[in-house]
Amino acid sequence: MSTLTRQPPRWLPAPDTWQYHLLLGAAGMLVLGPLGCVAAAYMNFSLGFFVGGQVLAGILGSAVTAGYGAAGRHGANYIQTAAASVAGMGGMVVVIQAMGWMGMPEPPVWQLIGYMLCIGMYGVGVGMLYTPLLVDRMQLTFPSGLAVANILRALTDPVLLRRAIARLAGGVGLGVLAGVGATRVAWLGAIDLSASTFGAGMIVGARIGIAALVGGLVGWALTPWFVSIGWLSPGDPYRKITFLFALGMIMGAAAIDVSLLLARAWRARLAAAARPAAMPQRWIVAWVVVWGAAVVAAGVAWFGQPVGYQLMAVALVLIFALVNGISVGMVDQNPISSAFVLSVILMAAAGLRAPQIGLIAATVLLVSTAQACDMQQDRSTGWRLGTDRMVQFGYQAMGIVAGAVLAVALARLFMDAYPVLRLDQTVLPADQQPARWTSAMTYKIVGALRSMTEDRPYQRLAVWIGLAIGLVTEVLRKAIRASARYRRFAAQGSIGKTCDFLLDAVLLPSPYASSFGGFVNLAASGWMAAGGVVASVVEWRARALADGRARGADTRVDQHALPDDMSTTSLVGGGLIAGDALAALGFGIAGLLAVVH
């Protein structure tokens, strides 16, 4: 009997029954989600960033649904959707830590949970609102989403598993070793080894990876000039200013692409009779409106927020959920802290000078953007697997409930066990900075909030310059690609292909890809580029070998061949991301056990 039609064991509930969804929901929200939540909270407290939980939850979720055969991939996808939603909320413990650093009185637990819940629900709604654009129409890669799809297909189908297990397991093993080594081996930490970034580079390829490195190199080269004009202080990392250019670049490029897509959709609508929508968009719009209003109301009623700044924060989410979603879809990078900082800058430009008000309002950006992009990432997996999107949306929303509770509980737990987490590192001298709990994201958040007392127009200028660069670059790229003469040149011979590669990756790189270099340090851009180069070389070699075998060889189609998007490089790259997440989970559990002990 085919793996697609085999009956599950008797002890497993029948698919699509309430018992089936109860099993999946419990696995995602009560087991795998809390594990990812612990890892995310620990990483943000100790390092200032966290590895997304989608890939790890996908692997573990497949174990729960293995008895359903290949059809179990949908159940495993529901599990990882809920678990990743819980884990994403766990990374938001930095908001509660920032309140402590700024001397704000701790609000009642139920108010914190309720506020985080409202923001998370608003975020998943906005993320779902953009799914038809980013996933269905633009068909962005979403490297972690592709990795999860490959893992679920492999682990729930014995045929695919036999063909993919060596590559997948090898990548996971290397990812675990790299994740552990980067925190335990000095020289690996010194080079900022990142298995997940290298793995993402293997999935997106050399054109995007090298473009990211080009963006980083430009920022590094311009550092002395930024210092000379006062945009940076001596010793500041270049990304302290280049992230503003990067956000502007994505906005500029997105303005072109979204305009073209909307025009195309309008023409298609005029050409065809009114057809039923692929999803109930009106229902999603209503969800967004209701939860957006709840965010505003909660901020005003519980935290004494001015209505205007709460409305401004809710409106900005609609922009950054799209901008950051494109970044995640292209290079697996969600610059949520950058969205937070830019929202603070815009509020300061609007006249806000109270950091406490800025924190409560900008929290809307931090949490909503994280959850919106998670929703888009999860839907990219569901799109590849053919999973019901509205059911998947339901699991994401349920995960928000558990995540809001766990985020507040873990923040209190860690900060009570380690009082050093309550110390405001932005005012501590260098010799008193904690070595273990660096809390880099909280440091950035509080630093940005304290700067609200001084308006800095050059920061807004950086965004406008980046927007102009993104607009011009994207227009030029599309004009060149539209030329039939150029397409013929690029397709003929090694010279044309080389010139096309250099244009695409170095001379006129995609703003979506090159902006990655503005968000991260140079080493991270380097790992992304290295992964892309390795993947492209391996794929080029594989094509050459395949062409050689095809000459005079048997050309019958292998009925059990791996799908096109389950290449060796994508499987190994996804394994590296999963291994890095496993290492982070191990550190998170160890940290939690130390807290409990």
Side-chain angles (χ1 to χ4, degrees):
M1 182 177 290
S2 168
T3 58
L4 289 169
T5 58
R6 78 180 187 195
Q7 295 298 315
R10 291 184 178 180
W11 57 270
L12 283 175
D16 298 324
T17 61
W18 69 266
Q19 296 95 333
Y20 172 80
H21 289 293
L22 179 64
L23 170 66
L24 303 186
M29 290 185 293
L30 303 180
V31 181
L32 303 184
L35 289 176
C37 196
V38 169
Y42 173 81
M43 289 189 71
N44 254 357
F45 277 139
S46 60
L47 300 174
F49 68 90
F50 64 98
V51 179
Q54 288 94 341
V55 178
L56 176 60
I59 294 175
L60 300 178
S62 297
V64 178
T65 62
Y68 293 101
R73 64 186 62 173
H74 301 299
N77 190 28
Y78 295 144
I79 291 175
Q80 74 84 17
T81 297
S85 184
V86 177
M89 292 297 288
M92 300 300 103
V93 293
V94 294
V95 172
I96 301 170
Q97 186 183 29
M99 290 180 181
W101 284 21
M102 298 181 65
M104 295 175 62
E106 292 191 2
V109 170
W110 69 270
Q111 289 184 358
L112 274 177
I113 293 174
Y115 192 52
M116 298 284 276
L117 174 66
C118 291
I119 299 173
M121 290 297 192
Y122 176 63
V124 297
V126 175
M128 194 65 164
L129 193 66
Y130 289 138
T131 289
L133 175 64
L134 301 185
V135 177
D136 300 335
R137 293 188 180 275
M138 296 181 72
Q139 297 187 7
L140 299 179
T141 303
F142 286 97
S144 286
L146 174 58
V148 175
N150 285 341
I151 289 169
L152 295 185
R153 283 184 288 193
L155 296 183
T156 56
D157 190 317
V159 174
L160 293 180
L161 182 61
R162 285 194 298 270
R163 293 172 174 266
I165 187 63
R167 307 164 200 175
L168 186 59
V172 171
L174 289 173
V176 171
L177 289 175
V180 173
T183 59
R184 295 292 184 267
V185 181
W187 69 270
L188 291 178
I191 61 175
D192 292 324
L193 176 64
S194 173
S196 56
T197 304
F198 187 91
M202 292 191 71
I203 293 174
V204 299
R207 288 177 182 255
I208 293 177
I210 291 178
L213 179 58
V214 168
L217 289 172
V218 170
W220 172 78
L222 291 175
T223 300
W225 182 68
F226 288 139
V227 172
S228 69
I229 62 175
W231 288 19
L232 288 177
S233 299
D236 282 346
Y238 63 82
R239 60 182 177 144
K240 189 174 181 180
I241 188 66
T242 57
F243 84 89
L244 296 171
F245 289 97
L247 285 171
M249 288 167 61
I250 298 176
M251 290 179 187
I256 299 298
D257 284 330
V258 171
S259 298
L260 292 175
L261 287 170
L262 289 176
R264 190 183 308 162
W266 179 253
R267 288 195 299 269
R269 185 174 182 178
L270 292 178
R275 293 174 294 185
M279 63 176 294
Q281 283 291 95
R282 291 183 180 178
W283 190 86
I284 297 298
V285 170
W287 177 284
V288 169
V289 171
V290 169
W291 284 107
V295 170
V296 175
V300 173
W302 296 338
F303 300 96
Q305 288 288 103
V307 174
Y309 289 113
Q310 283 294 101
L311 288 171
M312 182 179 180
V314 166
L316 286 174
V317 170
L318 297 173
I319 298 174
F320 285 109
L322 175 62
V323 172
N324 287 30
I326 292 173
S327 178
V328 173
M330 291 289 290
V331 294
D332 214 32
Q333 166 76 7
N334 187 0
I336 54 174
S337 59
S338 299
F340 181 100
V341 173
L342 183 55
S343 68
V344 168
I345 292 172
L346 294 175
M347 290 177 193
L352 182 61
R353 294 293 181 268
Q356 291 83 0
I357 293 175
L359 173 59
I360 300 301
T363 295
V364 179
L365 272 294
L366 193 73
V367 179
S368 287
T369 305
Q371 290 302 324
C373 294
D374 271 353
M375 183 74 257
Q376 295 156 5
Q377 185 91 270
D378 291 337
R379 271 309 307 151
S380 74
T381 300
W383 175 70
R384 289 183 169 94
L385 299 179
T387 302
D388 187 297
R389 69 177 64 198
M390 292 311 296
V391 175
Q392 191 173 4
F393 176 77
Y395 275 89
Q396 180 99 21
M398 289 190 297
I400 294 295
V401 179
V405 175
L406 280 172
V408 175
L410 285 174
R412 296 291 180 88
L413 184 63
F414 272 98
M415 290 192 293
D416 287 345
Y418 298 102
V420 68
L421 290 172
R422 296 185 182 274
L423 298 178
D424 183 359
Q425 296 180 26
T426 63
V427 298
L428 289 178
D431 59 348
Q432 295 182 21
Q433 293 286 333
R436 178 181 178 186
W437 304 100
T438 58
S439 302
M441 185 180 291
T442 311
Y443 192 100
K444 181 189 294 185
I445 287 172
V446 174
L449 290 166
R450 294 196 189 283
S451 70
M452 293 186 75
T453 56
E454 177 187 354
D455 188 23
R456 299 175 181 177
Y458 70 84
Q459 294 177 325
R460 297 192 296 278
L461 177 59
V463 176
W464 283 111
I465 293 173
L467 191 145
I469 292 173
L471 277 170
V472 173
T473 301
E474 197 62 22
V475 168
L476 290 175
R477 284 172 56 85
K478 283 181 165 44
I480 292 172
R481 297 291 181 193
S483 169
R485 179 179 298 179
Y486 176 81
R487 292 198 301 270
R488 287 194 299 270
F489 168 73
Q492 294 175 357
S494 58
I495 295 178
K497 293 178 181 178
T498 300
C499 291
D500 180 61
F501 179 86
L502 291 175
L503 179 73
D504 200 30
V506 179
L507 301 177
L508 205 63
S510 166
Y512 303 128
S514 59
S515 63
F516 178 80
F519 294 124
V520 299
N521 57 32
L522 191 59
S525 299
W527 288 116
M528 173 72 75
V533 170
V534 168
S536 294
V537 170
V538 169
E539 290 178 354
W540 170 79
R541 180 64 177 165
R543 285 195 300 269
L545 291 174
D547 290 343
R549 294 193 189 101
R551 296 189 183 96
D554 187 357
T555 57
R556 288 176 297 179
V557 176
D558 184 356
Q559 298 297 325
H560 302 292
L562 290 170
D564 291 339
D565 58 357
M566 289 184 71
S567 63
T568 295
T569 54
S570 67
L571 286 170
V572 174
L576 287 169
I577 297 173
D580 205 10
L582 283 170
L585 174 61
F587 291 131
I589 292 175
L592 181 63
L593 291 176
V595 169
V596 175
H597 179 74

